Amino acid sequence: MDIRAVRYVGRLKNIAVTLFRYGFDDVVERLDLPGKVFLEKIHRVDRDLSSWERIRLALEELGPTFIKIGQIMSLRPDLIPNALILELRKLQDEVAPVGYDEIRAVVEKNLRQPLEKVFAEFDETPIAAASLAQVHRGVLRENGQVVAVKVQRPKIQHIIAEDLSLLDVVANQLNERMEASRVYDLPNLVKEIKKSLDRELDFRREARYMKIAKSNLASTEGVYVPEVLEDFTTSQMLTMELVEGRKLKDLDSPHQYDCQLLAKRGLRLTVKQVLEDGFFHADPHPGNIILLDNNIYCLLDWGMVGRLTRKSRYEIIDLINAVVACDSERIVRVLLKKIRVRGGAEINTDMLEREILEILDTYHSLPLEKLNVGRLLLDITSVLRDNRLQIPVDLAVMIKALLTAEGTARQLYPELNVVEEARPYVRRLAMERWRPETIWKNVWTGLLDLAILQKHLPQRVSQIIDKIDRGDLNIRFQHENLARLRSTLENISNRLTLAIIIAALIIGSSMIITTGVKPLFLGFPILGIVGYLVSGLLGLWLIFNIIRSRKF
């Protein structure tokens, strides 16, 4: 067992039991988890469930932290399979609320004064409760404004830190012991999850995101972002105006709204954020959308966003145009500018193009208005992942956001023509790309880079030549993917060292026995007897571990 996990043995046991209950025996077997010998007595869930369904149910059973982790994983189509992404979208982020006294303590700690001095009213019952925080209705004392106060759950940062530490142990062990898991790069996935959760746990960051989004969307018809009250916002508490309406996920009677208009507005909103602003809501699912009067969207939960540079947006336009034209060669050419290789693999462009062609063939027969661009991009991302190729994080998040927005829009209005709705933004950005001032700006930037290069190049070449003359030029090699070999060598050396110690104890005890050194027990030296007992126990423990690992 990893030394980092010793502190959390109880939690590790819960993880092992849950994994076993949902049929992940092979995972438990490869992890050095406590209590494995008692797992056979545990009742198992229905075996007819798919692997992806069992993963979702296991995450729900493991609690709020793992639910949030599952939701973050669902935003990463570059790292996990498409089928699992679709299943993780079903995770419910609605949990039992924390008691009012605990929430009050968090609020007063962040306000640095009694709650009653700031709020004339503060409802004890939350209007929403999720894994990281819960939202309470309040009324400000200074001006009577009705607000929504998002308060972080007490000790949630400590709980998440513990669970992520254990998850890191599990991911590294699976990466070393399960060949099939390496394509998903589990250790890197844990790092990305940790980075995302650290950002989401800082509510001041979410407040900044909301201000940016409100500014970007100020002139966009049919969209509203709540106003943030910065004077009452901290890293653990976010105060905003209370917006009341119907959550899109709870919409039981859509006929009271113009579904066609809502679908178009929702899709245009995502496309505008991605292609025009380069700043977008990472997870625009129905649970994060409130419908106001006059078919107006209100976007909530800005804890996770994506960002795209202007260059990336131009490349996305090229990619979308190539996808619509079913041009596999052009798709590969655009992707090669963005992807990086994992694990030292080589890019086989011919094979990659053939696999992308197979995907395009499945969509080629569809009329343009039925083309699901997000799903098509998701399938292409799956091909890249299977070939150990990885796209940038924000591009992966963009694909997932587009898929979610497209799915939500089609749910409201199945006949929606996605390509037609995206066309104005694609055309506008494409025209901007070739405007004389943009071309001149790019040329000027290139000339500046060239001037800087010619200024420093002679000096750098001279430095290299001087190092060669002095014999100081060093070449550094970096080894990759040696974790499994290192672990094997450590196991071998540990067992060999233990065997030598056991042999030394037996030889030393035998020498003591022959000398008759007192004190005696049954006529034999006690020290020699103790030496035999210790060596015998160590020997049995070593044999047990060798048999348990099945490596003999």
Side-chain angles (χ1 to χ4, degrees):
M1 185 190 303
D2 191 298
I3 190 67
R4 292 175 295 169
V6 173
R7 295 170 54 198
Y8 316 121
V9 171
R11 182 58 167 157
L12 266 176
K13 190 178 94 172
N14 292 339
I15 293 174
V17 168
T18 302
L19 290 174
F20 192 84
R21 283 190 67 244
Y22 285 94
F24 299 106
D25 312 43
D26 53 338
V27 176
V28 177
E29 186 63 35
R30 286 169 169 80
L31 297 174
D32 193 12
L33 299 179
K36 289 191 290 186
V37 292
F38 305 107
L39 293 178
E40 292 294 340
K41 300 178 182 179
I42 296 172
H43 176 70
R44 301 203 180 224
V45 298
D46 188 357
R47 283 284 190 164
D48 292 334
L49 296 171
S50 70
S51 297
W52 312 130
E53 288 176 313
R54 287 186 282 121
I55 288 175
R56 174 177 60 82
L57 292 171
L59 290 174
E60 287 180 345
E61 187 168 312
L62 285 169
T65 304
F66 282 84
I67 290 174
K68 197 65 189 178
I69 288 170
Q71 292 176 331
I72 294 172
M73 287 167 60
S74 73
L75 301 178
R76 297 303 309 276
D78 57 322
L79 294 179
I80 61 175
N82 298 353
L84 178 56
I85 285 175
L86 297 175
E87 191 63 36
L88 291 178
R89 288 172 64 183
K90 301 176 185 176
L91 279 170
Q92 296 299 308
D93 196 17
E94 297 176 356
V95 298
V98 176
Y100 173 71
D101 290 339
E102 294 181 81
I103 290 297
R104 180 190 178 99
V106 175
V107 172
E108 292 184 338
K109 177 184 174 183
N110 283 268
L111 291 175
R112 298 182 180 178
Q113 56 184 315
L115 183 144
E116 288 79 10
K117 285 193 173 183
V118 177
F119 295 101
E121 296 178 26
F122 193 92
D123 291 355
E124 296 188 10
T125 303
I127 55 180
S131 54
L132 300 185
Q134 56 192 56
V135 182
H136 291 256
R137 177 189 174 276
V139 179
L140 292 177
R141 185 170 293 280
E142 65 178 15
N143 57 12
Q145 183 178 0
V146 181
V147 295
V149 186
K150 183 176 179 180
V151 186
Q152 200 168 107
R153 284 175 171 261
K155 301 179 181 178
I156 190 65
Q157 294 190 22
H158 178 70
I159 294 170
I160 287 175
E162 287 188 357
D163 283 340
L164 285 176
S165 180
L166 291 179
L167 200 61
D168 187 47
V169 173
V170 170
N172 280 288
Q173 289 193 4
L174 288 178
N175 196 57
E176 290 180 10
R177 302 178 185 185
M178 291 184 68
E179 185 74 29
S181 71
R182 289 177 196 163
V183 70
Y184 304 125
D185 196 2
L186 296 179
N188 185 57
L189 181 57
V190 173
K191 290 179 183 177
E192 294 290 344
I193 289 171
K194 183 180 185 305
K195 187 185 300 183
S196 180
L197 276 173
D198 286 344
R199 290 174 179 170
E200 198 168 353
L201 284 168
D202 185 355
F203 289 171
R204 290 171 300 189
R205 185 187 296 269
E206 182 175 351
R208 289 199 300 272
Y209 291 161
M210 291 179 69
K211 289 181 65 178
I212 294 171
K214 191 171 184 66
S215 174
N216 289 345
L217 301 173
S219 60
T220 303
E221 184 182 5
V223 182
Y224 188 74
V225 178
E227 188 78 36
V228 175
L229 283 74
E230 292 187 77
D231 292 341
F232 308 105
T233 294
T234 67
S235 61
Q236 295 180 302
M237 174 178 160
L238 173 61
T239 305
M240 69 191 90
E241 65 172 306
L242 180 65
V243 178
E244 296 183 294
R246 295 290 299 277
K247 274 197 172 184
L248 186 56
K249 71 171 185 176
D250 299 329
L251 196 63
D252 50 6
S253 179
H255 302 295
Q256 59 186 301
Y257 297 97
D258 186 338
C259 290
Q260 182 177 357
L261 178 61
L262 280 174
K264 289 183 176 182
R265 279 182 174 175
L267 190 63
R268 286 173 186 170
L269 171 62
T270 300
V271 173
K272 178 192 182 301
Q273 291 179 84
V274 170
L275 296 183
E276 190 172 306
D277 302 332
F279 179 91
F280 57 94
H281 195 297
D283 196 19
H285 64 76
N288 288 334
I289 298 172
I290 288 182
L291 297 180
L292 309 179
D293 294 336
N294 299 320
N295 300 296
I296 294 175
Y297 273 93
C298 178
L299 288 175
L300 303 177
D301 196 1
W302 287 86
M304 291 186 288
V305 301
R307 292 180 182 273
L308 294 169
T309 64
R310 184 177 298 274
K311 180 182 177 183
S312 294
R313 283 178 274 153
Y314 289 153
E315 289 169 342
I316 289 170
I317 287 176
D318 289 340
L319 183 61
I320 292 175
N321 285 332
V323 164
V324 173
C326 293
D327 188 343
S328 60
E329 184 178 353
R330 190 172 162 199
I331 292 174
V332 171
R333 190 166 62 249
V334 174
L335 289 174
L336 288 178
K337 297 178 184 177
K338 304 293 295 180
I339 60 179
R340 67 179 182 86
V341 184
R342 291 202 304 259
E346 293 185 2
I347 302 177
N348 186 333
T349 54
D350 290 337
M351 184 179 71
L352 186 61
E353 186 177 347
R354 284 197 300 271
E355 292 186 12
I356 289 175
L357 263 176
E358 289 183 9
I359 293 174
L360 294 176
D361 287 344
T362 62
Y363 292 88
H364 188 67
S365 58
L366 294 174
L368 202 58
E369 63 272 13
K370 297 294 183 182
L371 181 62
N372 192 323
V373 179
R375 187 56 189 266
L376 199 159
L377 290 174
L378 192 66
D379 290 342
I380 292 175
T381 306
S382 178
V383 168
L384 297 178
R385 185 186 63 248
D386 293 342
N387 285 276
R388 293 183 175 271
L389 304 173
Q390 187 174 344
I391 59 177
V393 174
D394 278 331
L395 185 56
V397 173
M398 181 279 296
I399 292 173
K400 175 58 171 57
L402 182 60
L403 176 71
T404 304
E406 196 171 350
T408 302
R410 287 189 187 276
Q411 182 179 339
L412 287 167
Y413 186 65
E415 291 78 25
L416 182 68
N417 188 331
V418 174
V419 176
E420 191 60 37
E421 294 303 320
R423 196 184 300 278
Y425 296 98
V426 173
R427 187 185 298 116
R428 187 184 310 157
L429 199 58
M431 291 176 63
E432 177 187 323
R433 182 180 187 178
W434 301 113
R435 285 190 304 183
E437 54 267 34
T438 304
I439 295 174
W440 171 244
K441 182 180 177 181
N442 292 336
V443 171
W444 179 247
T445 302
L447 290 173
L448 283 177
D449 291 340
L450 186 61
I452 293 171
L453 178 63
Q454 70 85 24
K455 179 180 178 181
H456 294 289
L457 186 60
Q459 181 183 357
R460 292 178 180 175
V461 171
S462 177
Q463 289 173 347
I464 294 172
I465 293 173
D466 287 343
K467 285 187 176 183
I468 293 173
D469 289 340
R470 295 194 306 267
D472 293 337
L473 188 66
N474 297 319
I475 299 176
R476 185 176 66 182
F477 291 94
Q478 182 176 348
H479 297 283
E480 295 183 355
N481 299 322
L482 293 180
R484 190 176 184 185
L485 176 60
R486 184 176 66 249
S487 176
T488 302
L489 291 175
E490 287 176 355
N491 288 334
I492 291 171
S493 61
N494 290 341
R495 289 180 180 178
L496 185 58
T497 302
L498 187 57
I500 293 172
I501 292 172
I502 293 170
L505 281 172
I506 293 173
I507 294 171
S509 300
S510 300
M511 293 176 66
I512 292 172
I513 289 289
T514 57
T515 60
V517 177
K518 296 181 179 179
L520 302 177
F521 179 74
L522 299 177
F524 297 100
I526 290 179
L527 191 59
I529 295 173
V530 170
Y532 278 138
L533 288 173
V534 171
S535 60
L537 290 173
L538 289 175
L540 289 172
W541 183 80
L542 180 60
I543 292 169
F544 172 75
N545 272 279
I546 292 173
I547 293 174
R548 187 182 64 168
S549 65
R550 300 179 182 177
K551 295 177 181 178
F552 48 86

